[in-house]
Amino acid sequence: MRTELEPRRGLSAAEAARRLSEDGPNLLPAPRPPHPARLLAAQLAHFFAVMLWVAAALAWVAGMPELAAAIAVVVVVNGVFSFAQEYRADRAARRLRDLLPVRASVRRDGRTVVVSAVDLVRGDLVLLAAGDRVCADLAVVESSGFSVDESLLTGESALVRPEPGGRVFAGTYAVEGFCAAEVVATGAHTRLAGIAAVTASAVRPRSPLAVQLHRVVRAVAVAAVAVGAVFFAAAMLLGLPTAEAFLFAVGVTVALVPEGLLPTVTLSLARAAQQMAGRNALVRRLESVETLGSTTFICTDKTGTLTRNEMTAVRVWTPDGEVSVDGAGYGPEAEVTGPAAALAALPSVADSAARCAPDAHAVNRSGRWHPVGDPMEVALRVLAERAGRASPPVPTARHAFDPRRRRSSVVDADGVHVVGAPDSVFPRCAAVSHAAEEALDRLSRDGLRVLAVAVRAEVRDTDAASSEAAESDLVLLGLVALADPPRPDVAEAVAACRTAGISLAMITGDHPGTARAIAVQVGLAAPEPVVVTGAELPADDTALGELLDQDGIVVARVAPEDKLRIARALQARGHVVAMTGDGVNDGPALRAADIGVAMGASGTDVAREAADLVLLDDHFGTIVAAVELGRATFTNIRRFLTYHLTDNVAELTPFVVWALSGGQIPLAITVLQVLALDIGTDLLPALALGAEPANARTLRGRLRTGSLVDRTVLRRAFAVLGPAEALTAMAAFLVVLLAGGWTFGAEPGPELLAAASGTAFTAIVLGQLANAFACRSETRWIGRVGVRGNPLLLLAVGVELALLIVFLTVPPLPGLLGGGLPTALGWCVAAAAVPAVLFADAGAKALRARSLIRQKDSS
């Protein structure tokens, strides 16, 4: 029994608008976000915050209200800061999700149109093909070889094949075949709406980046508690009362814990994700920003990514000769030239090809023709119009394109019409001439995408039920060659990948000759590249990895299963793999890759859901831009980690000196001054370093991957920048004391101690000012980096200096903190912290550069 596939007229635009107004948009009920007050309370009541509240209460009971207030201020400031950043990051993530619209093909006013899924209404006739997301509850009207994946609803992985009259539910995916179905429920009335309420309560596990950052914070916190315990013991040995010794140790511990680190990282990732969205790269998970920067191997598709995906049929081969079609775009006007016999054969070739694309067409908007549907299918329809094609009979059965068969077919009153990859169609033909083989080779070498068109005039009873039966005993009519020119700036993006040390491979389902030609044109491959087909890939995964691990390789005629094996084989060789995909069967490969990249304009909903990154413009250059921003973000996290740790060294040193001297050298800064440094100097510069823009060096050479806190970060913080800042601060403190008549072991007067302590405090602030600029690069000194590349840092430094003046001069802060205005000599010595930090930084970088040169020469 044949299935009638004649498209119905569908609703009128006016009726659809009326129903939309009546029923509302097709949206699931939005989960109610937690109230901001609840989120803020959570930031003020986690374990570490509770510990600090207890310390503040003990300080208050012990008669030290200043310390109690300072600790409370630290908890509140960091809690508000954390709340603000996470709230902003969550809102940014919601805005980014809204950038990726879900579309649906429907019949309205007798034509196929693409609308936003939000605008679907009851009674709409929706057309579904493989890879489409089902956006509402539907009743199947007509179908051909149609199946859906309902695992989201049922948990069962087996495919469901609904018959006419059966139901298809929102949230499922079309896997294969074709279906026309009527909308019966939208939005809150769908079966998915109930499940969504349960899903909203699920908690997403922490990302690897978050785990690594929590590990860093925990390690620093444990170290801070250990240091506090050591100073508690030291204070007791020096004769301090137990209560004072305990509170002193608590103050040191509070000062050393970087409570604002995690929200700073979150904000840095969210900001990078927003920047990527502005460059047409939608990051679906914030932690993917950092992974992008670590990419070492990109496996890219050809069509639409390296090329424009603007298909035009430019040459048609028939047994009677070859025809040239000179017509730009998708308009009906074109100049067709060729031998008379070939021109006579052209309409039949074009007509049969176009029958396999019944839903594709072009529309004229503002004087320019735009494709509606798959660009390749639209090109076939346009070719038929240019060849004077008449209206075809109504199809009785349709076998949709399948990535394994690589062909599609339609059965109608005139017979069976098949179009597809030549190596897929040729074996189904009764005979293929040597001239056809030569034409295929010639057209492919020219970089054209070639489709074979074949027919069978006889219609059999089994044709409607089985594609295998329908697509047999065919007669080859001809070859259609489609031009899809490379994008103009792809060559530049490919060159940027090479500069960045990123290897490239073209992974495509196209003909090897076409893939080779395009790869050479854009510079991805050498003039004589290594080209293999999916059938030639080794069965052994180790051998597969060895074959693929070379820059510029081209793999043609791949199946979706091949892409999954390719991703895993490269990962086994230590690569961080970015894999592009757009088809329904690309989902496993996109999930397996470190970064799955889906096409936002031409890709399927399945691919977009599986991906970590969605290219809103399908452009290869957008991947490179996203990698650049990912690298910049990874480097920025290391920058402000170095900044935080350097400050901790300078803050801790006065306490170490006091303890080691047995109290003979007074404490250079108080606990309250340390807290003021954390609140006044760390937050804004750290944020500014997290917003450091990418520069020309970002994509130069392979990015170092691994731990955020590695040997380089620790060496810079604890062996270079921190000691320079700490030594200058202690020197400034001692110079002021000695100039005021102090001798070792004596108790300095209150005014002298306040001036000396204010000098040490000033030296640390100025040292942190220089440290902020030094942290802008791990390899270049400030003279080469400059100071103008990050306006936010200049603003943060200005605020830092203003706060320094406030802390030193505005009553009652000097008295509370324990530091007064430095003397003239003190100002001079404190100011030396700036060149001291910068010179230490420049010297360390110069020594490291020489060491790397020697290592390179010796190797």
Side-chain angles (χ1 to χ4, degrees):
M1 178 179 178
R2 294 176 180 174
T3 305
E4 189 70 18
L5 291 180
E6 180 179 10
R8 298 185 176 185
R9 182 172 180 79
L11 298 175
S12 67
E15 177 62 17
R18 187 190 69 78
R19 295 190 183 190
L20 182 63
S21 175
E22 182 178 294
D23 295 343
N26 179 33
L27 292 171
L28 293 176
R32 196 171 187 180
H35 194 278
R38 182 178 175 185
L39 295 176
L40 177 60
Q43 294 294 342
L44 298 175
H46 57 76
F47 173 77
F48 211 84
V50 169
M51 190 178 76
L52 296 180
W53 284 122
V54 171
L58 291 174
W60 182 271
V61 171
M64 299 181 67
E66 298 88 354
L67 180 58
I71 296 175
V73 167
V74 169
V75 178
V76 172
V77 168
N78 279 295
V80 171
F81 177 68
S82 300
F83 159 75
Q85 305 317 328
E86 292 193 8
Y87 184 69
R88 285 183 61 190
D90 185 62
R91 290 186 61 189
R94 288 200 296 269
R95 285 197 298 269
L96 290 175
R97 288 194 292 268
D98 293 340
L99 288 178
L100 187 61
V102 178
R103 299 176 291 271
S105 295
V106 299
R107 297 286 295 182
R108 287 186 181 169
D109 293 317
R111 289 186 64 83
T112 301
V113 295
V114 178
V115 301
S116 170
V118 174
D119 296 329
L120 287 179
V121 297
R122 287 177 299 105
D124 260 330
L125 189 67
V126 179
L127 306 179
L128 295 173
D132 289 344
R133 177 196 290 176
V134 180
C135 302
D137 286 357
L138 311 174
V140 176
V141 177
E142 301 157 351
S143 66
S144 175
F146 182 68
S147 64
V148 292
D149 178 359
E150 292 189 347
S151 58
L152 174 68
L153 299 179
T154 65
E156 298 292 334
S157 58
L159 299 182
V160 178
R161 301 184 181 277
E163 298 292 333
R167 291 294 180 93
V168 181
F169 299 102
T172 61
Y173 290 94
V175 176
E176 58 188 9
F178 167 82
C179 169
E182 182 179 339
V183 176
V184 295
T186 61
H189 303 290
T190 61
R191 182 178 175 185
L192 179 63
I195 298 175
V198 178
T199 304
S201 62
V203 178
R204 179 184 291 271
R206 291 191 302 177
S207 69
L209 177 63
V211 170
Q212 189 175 168
L213 286 168
H214 278 282
R215 190 177 298 130
V216 170
V217 171
R218 186 169 60 248
V220 174
V222 169
V225 172
V227 170
V230 169
F231 277 103
F232 173 73
M236 291 290 294
L237 291 174
L238 292 174
L240 285 180
T242 303
E244 290 186 22
F246 175 74
L247 293 175
F248 172 74
V250 167
V252 173
T253 302
V254 171
L256 293 179
V257 174
E259 299 94 338
L261 179 60
L262 287 177
T264 303
V265 172
T266 301
L267 179 62
S268 182
L269 294 175
R271 187 176 185 276
Q274 287 179 304
Q275 287 180 311
M276 289 183 184
R279 299 174 74 170
N280 291 316
L282 175 60
V283 177
R284 301 188 67 249
R285 299 171 186 85
L286 281 184
E287 62 270 15
S288 300
V289 172
E290 185 270 337
T291 310
L292 267 167
S294 304
T295 300
T296 61
F297 208 111
I298 298 177
C299 299
T300 179
D301 196 1
K302 176 184 71 69
T303 304
T305 309
L306 299 176
T307 63
R308 295 179 180 177
N309 202 19
E310 296 176 359
M311 300 279 189
T312 306
V314 293
R315 289 155 71 180
V316 178
W317 176 89
T318 74
D320 298 312
E322 188 172 307
V323 173
S324 295
V325 183
D326 185 9
Y330 297 100
E333 303 83 11
E335 181 181 355
V336 183
T337 58
L343 290 173
L346 174 63
S348 62
V349 177
D351 178 64
S352 287
R355 294 190 193 201
C356 296
D359 299 317
H361 62 278
V363 296
N364 192 333
R365 298 189 190 124
S366 303
R368 183 178 178 183
W369 290 90
H370 297 267
V372 177
D374 183 270
M376 184 185 72
E377 294 186 350
V378 176
L380 296 178
R381 291 292 296 267
V382 171
L383 174 64
E385 293 177 9
R386 291 172 174 176
R389 162 192 181 249
S391 298
V394 176
T396 56
R398 177 181 174 187
H399 302 292
F401 176 84
D402 180 271
R404 295 179 182 85
R405 287 169 36 240
R406 299 202 307 277
R407 58 184 181 269
S408 62
S409 59
V410 161
V411 182
D412 59 27
D414 292 337
V416 180
H417 308 267
V418 181
V419 65
D423 54 356
S424 171
V425 175
F426 282 4
R428 317 297 296 180
C429 297
V432 177
S433 67
H434 183 65
E437 300 277 5
E438 288 184 337
L440 170 61
D441 186 58
R442 183 179 67 255
L443 295 171
S444 298
R445 284 201 310 269
D446 290 341
L448 301 176
R449 184 170 190 175
V450 184
L451 299 176
V453 183
V455 298
R456 173 162 43 82
E458 176 193 0
V459 178
R460 301 167 183 168
D461 292 339
T462 56
D463 288 344
S466 168
S467 63
E468 189 71 18
E471 298 162 356
S472 61
D473 300 324
L474 304 173
V475 175
L476 181 66
L477 288 182
L479 303 174
V480 178
L482 301 140
D484 183 16
R487 292 180 180 268
D489 48 356
V490 162
E492 181 181 343
V494 167
C497 285
R498 297 272 155 70
T499 302
I502 300 173
S503 298
L504 299 173
M506 178 189 286
I507 312 294
T508 178
D510 215 333
H511 188 277
T514 305
R516 177 192 290 110
I518 295 297
V520 172
Q521 284 184 45
V522 301
L524 185 144
E528 295 297 331
V530 177
V531 181
V532 295
T533 64
E536 297 169 345
L537 295 176
D540 179 70
D541 287 346
T542 302
L544 177 63
E546 292 176 355
L547 171 65
L548 296 173
D549 196 359
Q550 52 183 311
D551 189 21
I553 189 171
V554 176
V555 187
R557 291 298 189 222
V558 293
E561 296 81 3
D562 295 329
K563 298 178 79 169
L564 178 60
R565 288 189 61 221
I566 289 169
R568 289 175 173 170
L570 290 171
Q571 287 171 326
R573 293 181 63 85
H575 283 291
V576 178
V577 180
M579 174 74 73
T580 69
D582 57 5
V584 60
N585 293 305
D586 288 333
L590 296 179
R591 290 190 183 93
D594 299 280
I595 290 291
V597 183
M599 306 299 112
S602 62
T604 61
D605 294 324
V606 174
R608 288 193 287 263
E609 285 295 317
D612 304 290
L613 180 73
V614 178
L615 307 184
L616 300 178
D617 59 358
D618 292 6
H619 193 341
F620 178 80
T622 304
I623 302 178
V624 180
V627 169
E628 181 182 38
L629 285 170
R631 286 193 173 194
T633 302
F634 179 84
T635 304
N636 286 347
I637 294 174
R638 291 170 60 87
R639 285 183 176 117
F640 57 69
L641 275 172
T642 306
Y643 180 83
H644 274 296
L645 295 175
T646 300
D647 193 31
N648 284 352
V649 173
E651 292 169 346
L652 184 60
T653 298
F655 296 92
V656 173
V657 171
W658 171 79
L660 292 178
S661 69
Q664 299 298 302
I665 297 178
L667 197 58
I669 56 174
T670 66
V671 170
L672 292 180
Q673 282 175 311
V674 172
L675 296 178
L677 286 168
D678 284 345
I679 297 172
T681 66
D682 269 8
L683 290 182
L684 291 181
L687 278 176
L689 287 172
E692 185 76 22
N695 55 56
R697 298 171 58 88
T698 303
L699 285 179
R700 191 176 301 169
R702 181 169 290 188
L703 177 73
R704 177 183 57 255
T705 58
S707 176
L708 287 171
V709 180
D710 61 5
R711 225 178 257 177
T712 301
V713 170
L714 294 176
R715 183 180 66 248
R716 281 172 51 75
F718 294 122
V720 179
L721 299 172
E725 191 174 306
L727 289 174
T728 307
M730 287 305 303
F733 175 72
L734 293 173
V735 164
V736 172
L737 283 183
L738 292 171
W742 172 80
T743 58
F744 184 79
E747 184 73 24
E751 292 185 2
L752 178 59
L753 180 61
S757 184
T759 302
F761 180 81
T762 302
I764 295 178
V765 172
L766 295 179
Q768 280 295 91
L769 182 153
N771 180 32
F773 288 101
C775 287
R776 291 188 64 201
S777 173
E778 289 186 358
T779 58
R780 295 182 300 158
W781 72 294
I782 189 172
R784 294 187 61 192
V785 177
V787 297
R788 297 184 180 180
N790 188 345
L792 289 178
L793 185 58
L794 294 176
L795 177 63
V797 165
V799 174
E800 185 179 0
L801 291 174
L803 285 173
L804 171 62
I805 301 302
V806 169
F807 288 146
L808 293 176
T809 61
V810 177
L813 291 178
L816 289 174
L817 299 179
L821 268 174
T823 62
L825 177 61
W827 277 110
C828 293
V829 181
V834 174
V837 170
L838 295 180
F839 285 151
D841 176 63
K845 289 172 179 175
L847 289 174
R848 184 166 180 252
R850 290 177 185 173
S851 175
L852 291 175
I853 292 174
R854 284 196 298 269
Q855 291 177 12
K856 185 177 180 180
D857 292 340
S858 63
S859 62

